[in-house]
Structures are given as structure tokens and as C-alpha cells.
Amino acid sequence: MGSVLVTGAAGQIGSELVVELRRRLPDQAVVAADLSTKLPPGVQEQGPNITVDVTDGAQIARVFEEHGVDTVYHLAGILSATGEQKPRLAWNTNIGGLYNVLEAARTRGARVFWPSSISVFGPDSPRVNTPQNAVMIPSTIYGASKVAGELLCNYYYHRFGVDVRSVRYPGIVSSETLPGGGTTDYAARMYYEAIERGQYTCFVRRDTTLPMMYIPDAIKAAFSIMDAESGRVTIRTSYNLTAMSFSAGELAEEIWKHIPNFECTFEPDFRQAIADSWPVSIDDSLARAHWGWNPDYDLSSMTTDILRVLGERIRK
Ligand code: AKB
């Protein structure tokens, strides 16, 4: 039995995915890899953990070889807001890194999970209930790297038979590790600041509505598509995926139900234009039909759960 490699293990999804994988696969090595040497305690304590630069193809090939990797969750990447400030870094990391991972996977016959994003869509895509095959002309370098990445995955599947599977994540709301450098970060941050300080200045307008998902559902989606029988995963670019859509104002109102003194103000910055170019809701019927996608959380149940989890952590 080979090992499972998770790149971006210190990140928002990686830090929780590693813990879940180690719980699911007690007899298999789950190798947590990140550029940063600072891994969250839950990941750090269990091991094996390694430092990896995904843009270094020789290093990636060596890691696959040394650890006998047969499955990789390739999560390392630069998100939309940081991408606009550092476009070259975003392209090199997101596309160079994916290319290196797909090459290593091809050589070793490993399976690959790679996250795409709603950022593949742009101002010309229909914004409501955006279909799987809507026009994809994004306005960010991050979105461009996700479109190119989807095509690269599709190419490696059809040309070399690499079993690569992908979903287009919406904004992810997490409690363990807060997101960094994204446009949808305000959602997780609003919960955190509501508990920690009772006050938050949101960087998008009150009426900004985006597709979102609670982290347990994001992890469930990764496992569901990876567990699905190969023949059911007929889309090898990436699947549309969602759980809920809400505006920043609706999110604040949901938090007020639990924390009546919470103060939220709205001061849009450059991330507003990015948010305005993305869908407000997503049609994920193909993910539901092909491999049984079905999220567990809506805005109300997510809010109850995350405020409990964050409250317990902050009180400790
Ligand atoms: C971002 O905001 O950049 C990401 C995404 C939607 O892909 N969370």
C-alpha cells in the first residue's frame, strides 16, 4: 500500500483534510507537505510531515518516489486576492505546481485530487445558477490559472490515463485554519471576529452574494469524488459544486441571532470587483447525479456549529 500525500497541508482545507485522512486511513501513511514549516498542531503532532516547494519538479518527483505516493490531494495554491497582487507567483505556483504533481502522478500511476474554483467564471458567465459549461473567461489571474489547470487535468486524464478528479469549490468557511489571500475570506473571518471582538469591518458590500460551503462539506466532497467508481466521474475538467448562497448582510444577520451585540460595517476594497465577477449561485446537478453530491450544511446549521466550535476554542 502506498502513501497519501497532501500538499498545502497548513492551509484552510489541508489542515482539516490531513486530520480526517489520518482518521480514515489508520494503516496508511498520510504525508502532510507544505512550504511552511509551521503546521497546525493537529497535523504537526501526528506526522509524517515534510517541507515541499511544489514549483520544484525534481523535489516533487523525489517525494513521490521516497514516500511511495499512490494518491495525492494537491491543495497548495495562491488564492484570488493575493494572485492579483502577485500574478507571477500565482501562475507559477498554481500551474507550475499542478504540472509537477501531474507529471509525478503519471510516472508513478498515482491518483490525484485537485481543487478548482468558482473563479473559473467571469463577467460573461450567467451569474445565477451558473451551469457546468458556462462561458469561462475569468477576470483574475487566479481564475485563469484554474481554467488552465482544469484543461491540464483533462489532458492528463485523456492522454496519459492519470486518474485526476476535481471540484470547483465555492467560498469555504472554516474554523480550524482561517483562509488567507482569498476574496471569500470575509465569511469565515466574520464569524471569528464576531466571537473574538464582537466587531467586524467587511471588505465587500452588504448585498454581495456568493456561493459558499462549510469545511466539513468541502472535505466530504473531496472524499466522495475520490471514492466514486471511476466510470461515474465522467467530467475530468472539474465539477460545479455548492452548498448555499448568502449575502454578506444575511451572514451578519444570522450571526446577530446568536450574538445580538455584534457590530458589522461594510467597507468594500479591491476584492469587491473580484466578487462582482463571480456567480451568486451554482448549478451542481451533475455532481449530484454522477457521484451523489449532497451537502449537509446550510447557513443556519453552519452558523450554529461554527459559533460553538470557535467559542469553545477561544474560551480554552
Ligand atoms: C478565493 O476567494 O480566492 C477562493 C475561491 C473562491 O476560490 N476562496
Side-chain angles (χ1 to χ4, degrees), residues 103-119:
E103 263 304 290
R106 178 176 75 81
T107 309
R108 287 203 51 90
R111 304 168 70 233
V112 182
F113 173 84
W114 173 74
S116 183
S117 147
I118 55 164
S119 66

Side-chain angles (χ1 to χ4, degrees), residues 12 79-81 116-119 142 169-172 181-185 278:
Q12 185 192 22
L79 296 184
S80 56
S116 183
S117 147
I118 55 164
S119 66
Y142 173 67
Y169 279 128
I172 306 294
T183 301
T184 57
D185 295 10
W278 287 352

Side-chain angles (χ1 to χ4, degrees), residues 94-153:
N94 295 359
I95 286 300
L98 177 60
Y99 183 83
N100 292 335
V101 165
L102 287 170
E103 263 304 290
R106 178 176 75 81
T107 309
R108 287 203 51 90
R111 304 168 70 233
V112 182
F113 173 84
W114 173 74
S116 183
S117 147
I118 55 164
S119 66
V120 292
F121 300 112
D124 300 324
S125 319
R127 292 195 72 208
V128 177
N129 224 15
T130 309
Q132 174 71 33
N133 290 321
V135 61
M136 284 182 275
I137 309 179
S139 55
T140 60
I141 187 81
Y142 173 67
S145 75
K146 289 298 186 188
V147 174
E150 288 192 9
L151 296 177
L152 199 57
C153 289

Side-chain angles (χ1 to χ4, degrees), residues 219-230:
I219 287 168
K220 176 178 161 174
F223 289 154
S224 298
I225 194 170
M226 289 303 274
D227 289 347
E229 194 197 307
S230 179

